[in-house]
Amino acid sequence: MKQWKFLLVILLLAACNNQSENNKPQQNKTSNTLYISVDESFQPIIEEELKVFKSAYPDTKVVAEYKPEAECLRDLEKDSTKIVIISRELNREETKFFDGKVGFKPEFGQLAKDAVTVIVNSENPDSSFTVNELKQLLAGKGNGKLQVAIDGNTATSTVRYLKDSLLAGAAFGKNITGAKNSEDLINYISSTPSAIGFVGISWITNPQSKQQEDAIGKLKMALIECKNCEEGTFARPSQQTITFNQYPLVRGLYYVLKENYAGLGSRFVEFLSTERGQLIFRRALLVPTKMNFGRRRII
């Protein structure tokens, strides 16, 4: 009888312990793997950030998928990722959706300012454009000798930015060529003397391979009509022209974090927001927005 009583106590303790484990909140179950979805136009700079992050946290594995902006947001909705890196913050409808679905509003914020660079083949004599000329080109009403390329026809952040900022929501002209992604766009421009394209600046400043570096060597960044400058002034994207609102094609680099506890997503956002992460943005010619590194206007 005593043996049966002892066995019963053991079984009850095991059952209670198992029940306690099952009742623990999901966020307390630790994992060393972080899944992130990143807008493809930011791939080079986020790859640089991840190299340093992984060296600082060698016990953490980061699985990054690079895809169009709209697909990143779908990943967030499907809960296949806790953090996305895109070119905008969430709008009111999106925050309301997540609040209703998961019971809290995702955290989001700007990490840096990025420039959409206008690139042309090095043999192309046309390398200076006004903003109105760019609008005409994208609408299919500009210089018929130039072949205009973008990184896809829908869903990418660059496409959305160009439509919103230059075309006020109107459709692209029928003359527009859609590349698969930024790397494909760079290859197309480098091999087509009459082509012009639009790409995130980190693709130019952080080549990912020898082949890409060779392709970039066949390109040049176009001069674009300067904002807040003397009439007739043109500028290329740089930290100065971005910081002082002179280069006209500037957008943000944002994180969206769907995590209401101190997990791996929060750790990665903290890294991107502190000095090491912000200096990496600065080195890639983006403008950090979480830290001020003593920028001064040069006259």
Side-chain angles (χ1 to χ4, degrees), residues 45-60:
I45 181 59
I46 296 302
E47 284 290 309
E48 290 299 310
E49 294 281 3
L50 287 175
K51 287 178 186 177
V52 181
F53 179 75
K54 290 174 182 178
S55 67
Y57 300 98
D59 59 325
T60 300

Side-chain angles (χ1 to χ4, degrees), residues 96-131:
K96 185 177 180 180
F97 167 81
F98 286 114
D99 193 15
K101 182 178 179 181
V102 298
F104 64 92
K105 296 177 181 178
E107 174 191 339
F108 55 84
Q110 189 182 86
L111 295 165
K113 288 184 179 180
D114 173 64
V116 174
T117 306
V118 182
I119 54 175
V120 295
N121 187 284
S122 57
E123 297 180 15
N124 194 329
D126 295 321
S127 58
S128 298
F129 302 92
T130 65
V131 172

Side-chain angles (χ1 to χ4, degrees), residues 269-279 290-291 293:
V269 168
E270 181 182 9
F271 170 81
L272 296 174
S273 303
T274 51
E275 186 174 11
R276 279 184 297 177
Q278 292 283 285
L279 283 171
K290 289 292 187 181
M291 297 194 74
F293 292 106

Side-chain angles (χ1 to χ4, degrees), residues 56-276:
Y57 300 98
D59 59 325
T60 300
K61 179 182 178 182
V62 182
V63 179
E65 292 191 359
Y66 300 96
K67 53 187 65 178
E69 184 176 78
E71 291 185 24
C72 292
L73 289 169
R74 281 197 289 270
D75 285 348
L76 201 66
E77 290 178 10
K78 292 186 297 184
D79 208 30
S80 58
T81 181
K82 296 297 183 184
I83 180 171
V84 298
I85 307 292
I86 55 177
S87 67
R88 66 175 180 85
E89 58 188 21
L90 295 183
N91 59 39
R92 184 177 300 177
E93 289 73 22
E94 289 165 336
T95 55
K96 185 177 180 180
F97 167 81
F98 286 114
D99 193 15
K101 182 178 179 181
V102 298
F104 64 92
K105 296 177 181 178
E107 174 191 339
F108 55 84
Q110 189 182 86
L111 295 165
K113 288 184 179 180
D114 173 64
V116 174
T117 306
V118 182
I119 54 175
V120 295
N121 187 284
S122 57
E123 297 180 15
N124 194 329
D126 295 321
S127 58
S128 298
F129 302 92
T130 65
V131 172
N132 187 60
E133 285 172 336
L134 295 179
K135 292 178 181 178
Q136 295 298 310
L137 284 170
L138 290 169
K141 302 174 183 178
N143 185 345
K145 297 179 180 179
L146 290 175
Q147 297 172 258
V148 186
I150 54 177
D151 61 345
N153 295 312
T154 59
T156 72
S157 64
T158 304
V159 167
R160 181 188 58 77
Y161 174 82
L162 293 174
K163 277 189 174 182
D164 291 349
S165 300
L166 293 182
L167 296 182
F172 290 116
K174 295 181 180 180
N175 62 316
I176 302 298
T177 297
K180 290 188 299 183
N181 50 42
S182 295
E183 185 174 8
D184 188 47
L185 175 67
I186 288 171
N187 291 332
Y188 172 73
I189 302 295
S190 68
S191 61
T192 310
S194 60
I196 177 174
F198 301 80
V199 68
I201 192 173
S202 67
W203 277 97
I204 304 299
T205 58
N206 284 278
Q208 299 295 294
S209 66
K210 181 64 167 60
Q211 180 182 1
Q212 186 185 332
E213 189 173 357
D214 291 342
I216 291 172
K218 300 175 184 177
L219 308 175
K220 54 185 175 182
M221 285 194 290
L223 290 159
I224 310 300
E225 179 184 22
C226 184
K227 293 169 57 181
N228 304 316
C229 300
E230 294 182 7
E231 188 176 352
T233 302
F234 288 73
R236 291 187 178 91
S238 68
Q239 286 177 330
Q240 177 173 316
T241 59
I242 295 172
T243 299
F244 297 112
N245 199 28
Q246 295 171 324
Y247 186 73
L249 306 179
V250 174
R251 61 183 178 178
L253 186 154
Y254 292 84
Y255 74 89
V256 182
L257 176 65
K258 194 175 70 173
E259 187 178 80
N260 64 342
Y261 57 95
L264 295 180
S266 301
R267 179 186 294 179
F268 185 53
V269 168
E270 181 182 9
F271 170 81
L272 296 174
S273 303
T274 51
E275 186 174 11
R276 279 184 297 177

